[in-house]
Amino acid sequence: MSSLPEGVSSTAAVAARCTAGRACPVSAAAPSVMNTDKMESMIRFMCVPCLEIECHAEPYREDIDFEVHHAGVALADRHLVVYLFGVAVTDAHHADVDLDGHVVRGEGDDTRRDTQREGIRSVNSFLENYSQERLERFRWNDTYEEDIAKATMYREELRVLRAFYLFELAKRYGDIPLLTRTYALDEINSVEKSSFSEVIKYICDECNDAAKTLPVSHQDFWAETGRVTKGTALALKSRALLYAASMLHNPSQDADKWKAAADAAYAIIKENWYSLPKTNADPLYDKNGGNDVLKSPQLIFERRNGESFDFEANNLPISYEKGETGNVPTQNLVDAFQLTNGKDFDWEQLAPGQNPYEGRDPRFYKTVLCNGDTWMNSTIQSYEGGKDGAGTAGATTTGYYLKKYMNETVSLTPSNEKKKPHHFIIFRYAEILLNYAEAMDAWKGADYTDNDHPLSARAALNQVRSAADMPAVTTDGDAFTESIRRERRVELAFEDHRFWDIRRWKIGDKTKAIYCIKITLENGSPVYKKELLETRNWDDKMYLYPIPQTEYYKNPNLGQNTGW
C-alpha cells in the first residue's frame, strides 16, 4: 500500500490553524483526530469561524466595530487535502485561492475569502478526481471494500462541507461566485457572482441530496465519530434558510421563506435524533471538559481539537498563570440573563449591599466569571484595585471574564502543566429549536400549529428554557419575538451566533452602546454601578462585508457591496 505523506497517520486527522490571535475564543486550535481505523486517509479542514460578539477587546477593524469587537477576528486557514489509500486526490497547490480565485499569500483576518475558498476548491478537486475506477489498483488490499465504502461516504461529507464554506462566504458578503468546479487561472478572474438566494438554494439542494446517503450516526458506519452526519446536513440547511428568511435577505418578509425555515428545522426535531438535557446535567458543561463534552445528546457537529491549555491562557484573568484576559463579556450580555423568576434584572432596584449576580438564569454561571467567583482555586477580584480589576494593567475593561468553553481542570503552572482537548460547537439541538421558534413566530405567530407543524413556536422556545430551569415565556407579539432573540443570545452565547444575528435582524444601530460594571469597595463591601464603557460606530453598510478594492481591480465582475 502506498504510504501517506510524512507525519500523516492512518487515522483521519483534522488539523486547523487559527490566525485570530490571543483574544479569539477558538485560537487554541490544535490537531484533532477523527477515529477512523485502518484506512490511510486524511482530511484537513477548519470548520468554524472564530467570531464572537458578546465580548470587548481592543479595536481591530473599524468596519465591523459595533456592539462587540473581537480582537483578531479571523477565519482559520482551511487547507482541505484528502488522501485515499495514501494517494492525494485533491490539488493542494491551489490552497491560497481568494474570492475570485486569485492566488494570495500571508496571514489575514476575516476579510480574507481564501480561507473558505481553499476548502471549496479542494472539494471541487476531489469530486472531479475521485472515481472508483481509479482506486481499482487497491482491490487486493484486505480492507478494500471497507475503504471504498468510506471513500464513497467522504464524497457526501465533503459536499456538505463545501456547502458550509459557501454559507460562511454568503453570510459575510451576500452575493458570491458560486464555484462548483475548479477553474484555471486564465478564467477565474472573470467569474461572476450568483445571488444570495441562488447560493442558499444550492446549499439546500446539496444538503438534501447528501442527507439521503449520510448516516444519522457514524457509529452505524464503521463505528466512527466526529464525522459529518445526516443531522449535520439538515442543521446547515436549517441555519441557511433561517438567514434567507431574515430581514437582511428578505426585506419584504415573504412568509413562504419563513415557512421553509420552519420546515427545515422541524425536519430534524420530528426525528428525535437529539435531545436537550437539563443544563446542569448536560455534558457540554461538564466541569472536566475534554472529550466528556462529546457525550451530550444534543451535539450535532463540532470542531475537535487536541490537548491544550491555550484557550485558558488566552482568556484567563491577567493575575492567573499565563493569563492574558482576552475576551471579556460585556454588561450588555450580563443584563440579558434574567432572574430565575423570569423577570429582567433592574439596576434601579439594586439595594445597597445586594449582589446583582444572585438568583440569575443558571446559564449565567456557565458563561460568565464575575467578581467574587472562585475559579481555579482563586477568587476573582474585578473591583477597582483588585488583582483582576481596574488599576491592574491588562485587566478586564468590563468587570467580567469569560467562562464558557474554559476548562478549570487544566493547569498552566510550569512545574505541573495539564492540558485537555477542547471542542467547539458548530451545530447543536438547542439552536434547531430556536431556529424553529423564530421561523414559526415570524410565519404564523407564537401559538400556531397544524398537522405538519404540531409544535408551536412558544413550545419550542420553552423547551430550551425548561432545560435551563427557567419559567415559560407567556408574552405575545413583539415581546415574544424579543424573547426568542434574548434566548438565542443567552443560550448560544460565544458560539458564533450573536455577531450574525445582529446583522440578519438589521439591528446594528441599536447595539452601539457598550456597558461595563464599575465595582468599588466601601467598608470592605463591593458597590456595583453600571456605566457606559464606549459607544461604537455603526453604518448600515456593515451589514455585509466589503469586497476589497484589490479584488475588484482583478475582477470587476465582483462589483462592490452597497456603501463600500
Side-chain angles (χ1 to χ4, degrees):
M1 180 178 289
S2 301
S3 62
L4 282 166
E6 182 179 357
V8 178
S9 69
S10 60
T11 57
V14 178
R17 178 167 64 86
C18 182
T19 61
R22 69 174 179 87
C24 173
V26 291
S27 63
S32 74
V33 175
M34 291 180 177
N35 181 18
T36 306
D37 296 329
K38 302 179 182 177
M39 179 168 183
E40 289 188 344
S41 62
M42 171 178 147
I43 302 177
R44 291 201 295 124
F45 64 97
M46 168 66 182
C47 290
V48 294
C50 41
L51 288 170
E52 192 45 75
I53 154 159
E54 290 291 10
C55 54
H56 179 272
E58 291 305 312
Y60 178 69
R61 208 172 74 241
E62 183 72 15
D63 61 294
I64 63 166
D65 244 358
F66 60 112
E67 178 175 9
V68 172
H69 176 278
H70 197 298
V73 283
L75 198 60
D77 291 344
R78 289 176 185 155
H79 302 280
L80 190 153
V81 183
V82 182
Y83 289 91
L84 296 176
F85 305 93
V87 178
V89 292
T90 59
D91 184 354
H93 295 293
H94 291 271
D96 293 310
V97 180
D98 211 339
L99 177 64
D100 59 357
H102 187 81
V103 176
V104 297
R105 289 289 183 268
E107 302 293 4
D109 53 40
D110 198 50
T111 60
R112 281 180 64 190
R113 279 80 45 218
D114 62 305
T115 51
Q116 293 95 349
R117 290 297 176 188
E118 291 163 10
I120 293 169
R121 193 193 189 285
S122 293
V123 173
N124 290 339
S125 179
F126 173 89
L127 296 177
E128 290 173 3
N129 286 280
Y130 167 79
S131 71
Q132 273 191 231
E133 291 73 20
R134 293 183 62 186
L135 301 176
E136 278 291 316
R137 58 189 168 123
F138 300 105
R139 63 186 178 278
W140 305 117
N141 290 354
D142 292 341
T143 59
Y144 176 72
E145 290 187 5
E146 176 183 337
D147 293 341
I148 287 294
K150 289 179 178 179
T152 301
M153 193 64 73
Y154 290 158
R155 181 176 57 198
E156 304 309 314
E157 291 182 71
L158 291 172
R159 290 175 66 188
V160 175
L161 289 175
R162 177 175 61 183
F164 178 83
Y165 298 144
L166 286 167
F167 176 71
E168 290 298 313
L169 282 169
K171 78 179 185 183
R172 287 164 170 76
Y173 300 98
D175 301 344
I176 60 170
L178 183 55
L179 307 181
T180 59
R181 64 174 179 86
T182 57
Y183 286 76
L185 290 177
D186 62 352
E187 61 177 341
I188 190 64
N189 284 335
S190 61
V191 297
E192 297 185 354
K193 294 192 293 187
S194 297
S195 69
F196 180 84
S197 60
E198 290 173 325
V199 175
I200 295 300
K201 181 181 184 305
Y202 178 81
I203 290 169
C204 293
D205 289 345
E206 286 290 278
C207 289
N208 285 337
D209 200 41
K212 297 174 184 177
T213 302
L214 291 168
V216 174
S217 169
H218 278 270
Q219 289 291 343
D220 304 325
F221 185 79
W222 307 107
E224 296 177 351
T225 65
R227 304 294 296 272
V228 175
T229 62
K230 193 185 298 288
T232 308
L234 297 182
L236 174 57
K237 176 184 175 182
S238 170
R239 187 182 293 177
L241 287 175
L242 185 75
Y243 276 59
S246 300
M247 183 62 71
L248 180 61
H249 300 291
N250 182 23
S252 66
Q253 288 297 277
D254 181 350
D256 288 342
K257 292 186 177 181
W258 285 112
K259 179 182 181 299
D263 291 345
Y266 192 69
I268 300 173
I269 294 170
K270 70 179 182 181
E271 298 293 344
N272 294 315
W273 296 330
Y274 310 101
S275 61
L276 199 60
K278 289 290 186 179
T279 300
N280 287 329
D282 192 337
L284 282 182
Y285 305 104
D286 191 295
K287 179 180 179 179
N288 292 317
N291 291 327
D292 289 346
V293 304
L294 302 176
K295 300 174 184 177
S296 175
Q298 69 157 313
L299 198 57
I300 299 175
F301 193 54
E302 71 285 338
R303 194 195 103 194
R304 299 187 178 190
N305 295 295
E307 292 188 349
S308 170
F309 52 51
D310 291 349
F311 184 73
E312 286 72 31
N314 290 339
N315 294 290
L316 278 172
I318 199 71
S319 68
Y320 284 64
E321 183 74 44
K322 293 184 172 68
E324 297 185 18
T325 298
N327 290 305
V328 290
T330 64
Q331 186 63 52
N332 308 58
L333 172 62
V334 171
D335 287 347
F337 288 92
Q338 295 178 316
L339 299 170
T340 53
N341 61 10
K343 296 181 179 180
D344 294 339
F345 182 82
D346 186 354
W347 282 97
E348 298 298 325
Q349 300 300 316
L350 183 65
Q354 180 183 350
N355 185 342
Y357 311 121
E358 289 182 347
R360 292 292 187 107
D361 183 326
R363 291 169 294 188
F364 172 76
Y365 308 107
K366 306 288 187 182
T367 307
V368 178
L369 287 172
C370 55
N371 185 60
D373 285 351
T374 299
W375 184 255
M376 290 185 171
N377 300 316
S378 180
T379 301
I380 302 293
Q381 298 177 356
S382 55
Y383 53 81
E384 289 187 354
K387 63 183 177 64
D388 308 305
T392 299
T396 174
T397 55
T398 66
Y400 302 101
Y401 290 93
L402 180 66
K403 185 174 183 179
K404 194 165 186 178
Y405 281 132
M406 298 279 278
N407 191 324
E408 191 175 7
T409 67
V410 304
S411 173
L412 290 82
T413 303
S415 62
N416 185 36
E417 289 187 350
K418 182 180 180 181
K419 301 179 180 181
K420 283 286 190 76
H422 288 67
H423 309 306
F424 299 96
I425 299 164
I426 301 177
F427 296 110
R428 64 182 176 104
Y429 188 53
E431 179 199 344
I432 303 304
L433 287 169
L434 293 173
N435 290 353
Y436 181 78
E438 181 178 344
M440 285 294 290
D441 176 50
W443 177 42
K444 289 289 188 177
D447 298 300
Y448 176 82
T449 61
D450 60 28
N451 290 336
D452 294 325
H453 309 86
L455 184 69
S456 69
R458 189 185 305 280
L461 172 64
N462 286 332
Q463 277 190 38
V464 179
R465 290 178 63 82
S466 176
D469 292 322
M470 289 295 290
V473 170
T474 58
T475 54
D476 291 299
D478 291 343
F480 180 77
T481 300
E482 287 303 312
S483 293
I484 295 174
R485 294 184 176 188
R486 181 184 59 231
E487 198 68 19
R488 287 184 67 91
R489 185 177 194 175
V490 167
E491 175 69 26
L492 305 177
F494 299 103
E495 294 181 28
D496 191 38
H497 290 280
R498 179 68 177 173
F499 184 94
W500 307 107
D501 284 348
I502 286 172
R503 281 165 159 72
R504 66 183 181 86
W505 293 331
K506 297 190 72 173
I507 60 171
D509 61 334
K510 299 177 181 179
T511 64
K512 295 185 292 185
I514 304 296
Y515 289 91
C516 65
I517 188 71
K518 180 180 179 181
I519 310 172
T520 56
L521 292 183
E522 294 186 7
N523 298 321
S525 297
V527 176
Y528 299 87
K529 183 180 179 182
K530 178 180 176 179
E531 292 188 346
L532 179 68
L533 176 64
E534 65 181 52
T535 301
R536 295 293 176 106
N537 296 320
W538 177 259
D539 190 301
D540 284 353
K541 68 182 181 181
M542 297 177 187
Y543 285 126
L544 292 173
Y545 284 14
I547 306 298
Q549 197 67 18
T550 54
E551 298 308 314
Y552 174 76
Y553 289 151
K554 296 166 190 170
N555 182 5
N557 291 335
L558 295 176
Q560 184 55 276
N561 283 329
T562 302
W564 293 103

